[in-house]
Amino acid sequence: MYTLKDNNIQRSQWGSKIGFILAAGGSAVGLGNIWKFPYLAGENGGGAFLLVYLVTVAIIGFTLMLAEFTIGRYSQSDAVGAFKKIDKRFGFIGFIGVIASFFIMGFYMIVGGWSLAYIFKAITGAINSTDSIVLSGAFNELVINDIQPIIWGGIYIILNIGIVWSGINKGIEKASKILMPALFVIMIILTFKSLSLEGAMEGVRFFIKPNFSEITPKVILNAAGQAFFSLSLGMACMVTYGSYLSKSENLVKNAIIVPLLDTFVAIMAGFVILPAVFAFGFEAGGGPSLAFVTIPAVFSTMGANIGTIFSTLFFVLLTIAALTSSISMLEIPVAYLIEQRKWTRKKAVLLTSIIVFVMCIFSSLSNGKLSYLTIGGKNLFDFYGYVASNILLPFGGMLISIFVGWILGKKNAINEATNGGTIKFRLAKVWIFLLKYIIPVLILLIFLSGLGFF
Ligand code: PHE
């Protein structure tokens, strides 16, 4: 336990090194990798998208991840408090993160609910087919329904409440420790199965061979936004998680492992889904249905019994991967309400969840009954995601980068990141240089190009 000198709040800490990596990795690895990444790649030119995505992760991923860990552990405070403690004027950066977390939870919990529903569809054999009409039928029937996805989303939210209710090491850390490794194993099995399908190579080519003429401003903005989303960056989520890290942890190492792990899982998901899309003759631009249609098809080629067992297991693990991410989003406003507004954890968890549930009702209905409600041509479900990934997270990331480079400053930042100089970090100066100059400009350029300036 670490006791803050100035306000005497007892803050908890991660129980072990591996506990933190799994929790931060659990936050990063989620629906973003397995559900969203493959369909965005499918919609945005495959290899072109992958290339921009990888470049963004390589330049921005590690630097910002370390920046967020550094702010969090330096100030040992929630999203808003962390910035405020370093400089009173900058609490708003964390507040952008709090707002972003609501936008994300407003659709993420619904997709978590879809995943829960699919566990039961898998058990009953309803999705044991390779026929795209059967599989898209099952998906559409669920998502455009007025009530079902809302009930599943509600159950999914209750699972989140259950974990975050007990706080970080009892709930979040313990859950991640068991669940993350299991997901890894099943993804590897799926990758092999999918790659062995007849016609899979066309999908592999689509996924890894960039067609440079397809790297448009829209693809760049989508890929960069997805990188932020998938790495849980730009919304002070990793600040919040970093704030529970002990002073002896190696931040630099963690900031390398987590993006690598996350990218590895996203690429694996690409190798599961896109080859199967081509092998079965599905539509690569199929949007949010892609994973839910393709993955059951891959399983059904394993025969009725084995297919049913594996696909049930898969959706259990997908739900779990989603859970380890959504609890990290929920923890952002919760930690803020506890530390800045002095609420009890239980009250903070409940109130936040109620707001999220209401937002979820609207986003779910926007896939059906309320589909006429559009903003900029997007229904609410897509709009929440667009605002978060393509606007709030990159913008937040830009501010975080500037904040560490210019406000926290070189000396403090390097001192914190290297545990007072006891950890070797040869690229420390490069890191600060990137944060100060390169990343803010890069993000600005991505924005301007996304908005059609070039
Ligand atoms: N990274 C998570 C995923 O890929 C989503 C997330 C975004 C979690 C932002 C926390 C904060 O599913």
Side-chain angles (χ1 to χ4, degrees):
M1 280 289 169
Y2 181 86
T3 313
L4 274 189
K5 287 159 227 101
D6 51 353
N7 57 3
N8 272 335
I9 296 178
Q10 283 259 313
R11 297 187 95 247
S12 33
Q13 279 192 356
W14 303 106
S16 61
K17 279 195 204 316
I18 187 78
F20 175 73
I21 291 182
L22 290 175
S27 166
V29 176
L31 294 168
N33 308 58
I34 297 166
W35 163 72
K36 202 160 185 189
F37 175 82
Y39 89 71
L40 283 179
E43 281 176 341
N44 290 278
F49 179 88
L50 178 65
L51 181 68
V52 181
Y53 182 85
L54 291 177
V55 171
T56 314
V57 170
I59 301 177
I60 299 183
F62 160 76
T63 37
L64 264 193
M65 183 79 63
L66 183 59
E68 291 208 20
F69 287 161
T70 302
I71 299 172
R73 199 184 56 179
Y74 180 86
S75 56
Q76 307 263 320
S77 226
D78 63 280
V80 177
F83 293 92
K84 251 198 194 152
K85 228 177 196 174
I86 295 166
D87 187 324
K88 266 206 222 66
R89 298 167 298 170
F90 290 94
F92 76 94
I93 302 179
F95 204 75
I96 294 175
V98 174
I99 303 288
S101 75
F102 280 100
F103 274 100
I104 297 181
M105 288 189 279
F107 72 90
Y108 205 94
M109 303 286 188
I110 289 297
V111 184
W114 295 350
S115 181
L116 266 181
Y118 261 69
I119 297 175
F120 295 91
K121 284 192 195 291
I123 292 175
T124 58
I127 46 171
N128 207 325
S129 166
T130 53
D131 183 342
S132 82
I133 296 176
V134 173
L135 292 168
S136 347
F139 179 77
N140 287 330
E141 196 190 323
L142 170 69
V143 302
I144 66 176
N145 190 286
D146 290 342
I147 303 168
Q148 274 188 40
I150 296 176
I151 294 182
W152 287 111
I155 299 174
Y156 180 79
I157 291 176
I158 292 171
L159 293 175
N160 281 271
I161 296 176
I163 300 174
V164 178
W165 191 270
S166 0
I168 66 137
N169 32 33
K170 274 197 233 105
I172 297 177
E173 186 173 349
K174 204 177 261 170
S176 306
K177 248 188 196 166
I178 309 169
L179 308 175
M180 287 282 299
L183 178 73
F184 228 76
V185 174
I186 193 147
M187 285 298 291
I188 289 172
I189 297 174
L190 262 180
T191 308
F192 281 111
K193 184 71 208 173
S194 189
L195 288 176
S196 71
L197 293 168
E198 205 184 308
M201 278 314 131
E202 204 183 325
V204 172
R205 229 170 287 129
F206 170 77
F207 183 42
I208 61 173
K209 212 166 149 239
N211 179 346
F212 290 93
S213 66
E214 287 190 55
I215 305 183
T216 59
K218 179 182 142 252
V219 169
I220 294 175
L221 183 62
N222 283 337
Q226 171 63 14
F228 280 94
F229 179 75
S230 188
L231 294 169
S232 310
L233 288 178
M235 58 190 277
C237 179
M238 293 303 181
V239 171
T240 307
Y241 267 26
S243 76
Y244 302 123
L245 265 173
S246 95
K247 289 286 181 188
S248 61
E249 276 278 357
N250 187 332
L251 299 189
V252 179
K253 206 156 88 194
N254 281 315
I256 294 173
I257 295 176
V258 175
L260 283 180
L261 189 75
D262 187 71
T263 306
F264 187 65
V265 177
I267 290 178
M268 224 167 20
F271 277 122
V272 171
I273 290 173
L274 294 166
V277 163
F278 282 81
F280 294 120
F282 295 165
E283 178 57 58
S289 70
L290 203 63
F292 288 95
V293 172
T294 311
I295 287 176
V298 179
F299 284 124
S300 75
T301 62
M302 300 177 179
N305 293 333
I306 298 180
T308 300
I309 294 170
F310 270 113
S311 69
T312 308
L313 188 63
F314 174 81
F315 284 106
V316 170
L317 290 170
L318 182 64
T319 306
I320 289 164
L323 268 173
T324 56
S325 298
S326 51
I327 54 179
S328 74
M329 298 169 207
L330 188 53
E331 182 67 17
I332 300 169
V334 166
Y336 160 71
L337 290 167
I338 296 172
E339 292 179 22
Q340 301 297 310
R341 309 258 157 204
K342 309 287 174 244
W343 288 23
T344 63
R345 178 166 277 275
K346 297 192 164 61
K347 182 173 158 199
V349 172
L350 277 184
L351 181 97
T352 306
S353 304
I354 290 169
I355 296 174
V356 167
F357 185 55
V358 173
M359 289 182 73
C360 281
I361 293 177
F362 284 99
S363 70
S364 179
L365 289 176
S366 81
N367 287 322
K369 218 180 216 142
L370 297 183
S371 59
Y372 61 87
L373 277 180
T374 56
I375 306 175
K378 294 184 163 53
N379 71 0
L380 271 184
F381 182 93
D382 292 336
F383 178 74
Y384 288 172
Y386 189 86
V387 170
S389 295
N390 291 11
I391 300 173
L392 294 176
L393 301 188
F395 185 57
M398 182 165 85
L399 294 175
I400 289 170
S401 178
I402 294 171
F403 183 81
V404 172
W406 297 92
I407 308 292
L408 180 61
K410 186 172 167 182
K411 198 170 134 266
N412 287 332
I414 293 182
N415 191 48
E416 183 66 40
T418 59
N419 299 358
T422 58
I423 281 170
K424 227 205 245 134
F425 181 21
R426 263 190 240 113
L427 295 177
K429 291 212 177 96
V430 178
W431 175 55
I432 297 290
F433 182 79
L434 286 169
L435 291 175
K436 262 176 125 161
Y437 304 101
I438 307 295
I439 304 226
V441 173
L442 217 57
I443 296 178
L444 194 69
L445 288 178
I446 292 171
F447 267 135
L448 293 181
S449 88
L451 293 174
F453 272 87
F454 303 120

